[in-house]
Amino acid sequence: MTTRRTWQRCDDCGHEVDELDRSPRCPVCQGLLAVVHAMPARDGLRARLAANRSPSGVWRFGELVLPTAVDVAVSHPEGNTPLLERAALSAWCGVDGLLLKHEGHNPTGSFKDRGMTVGMTQAKRIGATAVACASTGNTSASLAAYAAQAGIPALAIVPDGQVTIGKLSQTLAYGARTLLVDGDFDDCLRLMQQVSVELGVYLLNSINPFRLEGQKTIVLELLQQCDWNAPDWIVLPAGNLGNTSAFGKAIDEAMAWRLIDRRPRLAAVQAEGAGPFAAAFSRGFDQLTPVHAETIATAIKIGAPASYHRAARAIVATDGVVLTVSDAEILAAKVAIDRAGVGCEPASAAAVAGVRKLRADGTIGRHDRVVAVLTGHILKDPGVLQQIHQNDSIAPALANRPIRIPADIAAVRDVLSSSGERQT
Ligand code: F0G
């Protein structure tokens, strides 16, 4: 008998199914399934990871992600994102040496590609004839790109009028059949779960456990970049809570596999108008009370997160915190990140707004080692950039307005002298 390396287990009842079982949820109790791995050989693990030459920042960690699929991966490649340090942003947050893990550097511009390469690989292995997701835009863009590469038809269900132009355009351009639903993301997710059960398409939302295996590598890669010397805090934006869950699993496993010897604390940041996870945290995680979500950060405009229980476990296990930031705080953080030459979409800026707030209330210390995760690229949301910087700005104090002039050197000279800039 061969020893099994990877299988799936229900979070709620512990029922186990085969690695290649395609059920979207536990067939016994409908709980969420998680991927479980046999313990890898711990001796020399760090050295093996360092020596792995895969061009993908996900499949370099293949033995910890999906060992049986490394040779058949649908990979762009993805991952290998930078860990940036910018003095202006450390100063803005009041944290010395703040590090930014910029997931906007992935092929479709968000961290979703890390999960999608694994999810799409699994879809191919089980012979899925179609793949689908509900999305606020980044998952659908990523789904569409990886499905095109795998040659599998893709279906995206998104809320009409609530997906940014960058994300909707990508989803269409990469060829996904795209349905605009009269409703919000929570309506789309409900509909999608029904579609996956009744129409038999393979669901690639973040309740798909293989997606989370890929997203774990955000943490594994940043820990490797820190020479396995865990930071004090990892701060991330939170919506449907797949990523918070994946981070919790990565930290648990990194401890079990002795890659690190202490747990970083997780701080999950939600938008004030879309903060059911933060509300539950403040009540000791008694239960999730869904809300009608409203925020300028459309990526995390989610009122009934699907992975609540496993994300709550991740916060408790890491002695973490959950907080909200206002849209004004998100915009201010975004402008600071953009002006530092880094750039990100609004949801990502929530992480940095969160660092500043946690520093201000003393939860994070000035000398704590903090990594904030920027989840998406600045060009994901060109609409909000126009709203900030052009006429009738939604944040006049932050606007860098373009100046219209005639094609005339005198006009350029006038502008430069009035803004105090000098020609050399
Ligand atoms: N940041 C960005 C840029 C996102 O697109 C998302 C989620 C999150 C943060 C939150 O991650 O849902 O795992 O808690 N976007 C999903 C989507 C919902 O459909 O693209 P989460």
Side-chain angles (χ1 to χ4, degrees):
M1 194 183 114
T2 52
T3 15
R4 54 181 191 169
R5 294 179 73 180
T6 298
W7 61 100
Q8 302 180 64
R9 183 165 62 214
C10 174
D11 270 10
D12 294 345
C13 76
H15 179 71
E16 294 187 349
V17 297
D18 187 76
E19 177 185 0
L20 294 177
D21 190 297
R22 59 176 297 160
S23 313
R25 285 175 173 270
C26 172
V28 174
C29 77
Q30 297 301 305
L32 294 186
L33 292 168
V35 172
V36 189
H37 302 288
M39 184 72 78
R42 287 185 297 202
D43 287 347
L45 179 54
R46 288 182 187 181
R48 282 202 305 288
L49 295 177
N52 191 309
R53 292 281 155 250
S54 167
S56 164
V58 172
W59 295 100
R60 271 185 314 105
F61 298 98
E63 70 169 301
L64 312 180
V65 167
L66 198 55
T68 41
V70 173
D71 296 332
V72 295
V74 180
S75 174
H76 191 100
E78 49 289 308
N80 291 323
T81 59
L83 199 55
L84 308 172
E85 187 178 339
R86 294 290 181 272
L89 290 170
S90 300
W92 193 79
C93 290
V95 173
D96 293 345
L98 172 70
L99 294 170
L100 304 158
K101 178 74 173 154
H102 206 326
E103 289 295 304
H105 288 237
N106 273 292
T108 76
S110 84
F111 72 97
K112 302 291 181 179
D113 295 336
R114 291 191 186 256
M116 205 51 75
T117 179
V118 183
M120 201 61 71
T121 298
Q122 185 69 2
K124 209 166 171 184
R125 291 170 92 202
I126 64 170
T129 52
V131 290
C133 72
S135 181
T136 56
N138 279 328
T139 303
S140 59
S142 186
L143 174 94
Y146 281 83
Q149 185 176 346
I152 303 175
L155 176 72
I157 297 189
V158 302
D160 194 6
Q162 298 178 37
V163 176
T164 67
I165 182 80
K167 299 173 192 180
L168 182 59
S169 308
Q170 281 182 293
T171 307
L172 296 170
Y174 296 133
R177 178 66 57 91
T178 304
L179 309 181
L180 301 176
V181 170
D182 179 17
D184 59 16
F185 170 81
D186 300 301
D187 298 318
C188 293
L189 190 58
R190 235 182 338 264
L191 178 59
M192 180 50 78
Q193 307 227 25
Q194 239 175 316
V195 168
S196 77
V197 172
E198 291 180 26
L199 306 183
V201 296
Y202 187 58
L203 187 64
L204 278 173
N205 271 98
S206 60
I207 65 164
N208 180 308
F210 295 90
R211 284 258 327 265
L212 298 196
E213 290 308 291
Q215 287 173 208
K216 275 183 349 193
T217 64
I218 302 170
V219 169
L220 295 174
E221 190 174 275
L222 79 82
L223 290 172
Q224 189 183 45
Q225 286 166 313
C226 296
D227 291 327
W228 303 108
N229 181 9
D232 297 303
W233 289 94
I234 299 177
V235 185
L236 78 164
N240 210 23
L241 302 180
N243 220 23
T244 307
S245 305
F247 280 31
K249 189 169 193 282
I251 292 168
D252 275 351
E253 292 177 349
M255 288 291 290
W257 300 332
R258 299 201 193 117
L259 287 169
I260 52 174
D261 54 18
R262 63 188 185 93
R263 288 169 197 273
R265 298 175 72 182
L266 286 178
V269 189
Q270 298 207 287
E272 219 164 70
F277 188 44
F281 170 75
S282 69
R283 298 188 308 262
F285 286 132
D286 57 349
Q287 60 169 14
L288 182 80
T289 307
V291 300
H292 173 74
E294 277 305 336
T295 169
I296 197 160
T298 53
I300 51 173
K301 186 170 177 290
I302 295 173
S307 296
Y308 166 69
H309 289 289
R310 49 173 57 154
R313 277 195 294 277
I315 295 297
V316 171
T318 61
D319 189 23
V321 297
V322 189
L323 68 155
T324 61
V325 290
S326 68
D327 279 5
E329 289 169 320
I330 290 173
L331 286 178
K334 177 174 157 50
V335 168
I337 296 161
D338 292 352
R339 290 235 174 124
V342 173
C344 68
E345 67 165 289
S348 314
V352 171
V355 174
R356 184 173 154 105
K357 195 164 179 176
L358 291 169
R359 174 69 198 100
D361 74 12
T363 308
I364 287 181
R366 166 168 289 281
H367 304 299
D368 284 358
R369 294 175 53 240
V370 182
V371 179
V373 181
L374 300 180
T375 45
H377 195 277
I378 184 173
L379 289 178
K380 285 288 191 173
D381 194 348
V384 86
L385 290 168
Q386 276 182 312
Q387 284 181 288
I388 297 169
H389 294 296
Q390 310 227 355
N391 294 335
D392 300 325
S393 170
I394 53 171
L398 304 174
N400 174 27
R401 289 199 176 78
I403 301 161
R404 194 159 273 123
I405 58 156
D408 175 355
I409 184 72
V412 178
R413 203 171 275 129
D414 278 356
V415 170
L416 294 188
S417 56
S418 68
S419 58
E421 290 168 44
R422 296 243 72 83
Q423 314 93 302
T424 49

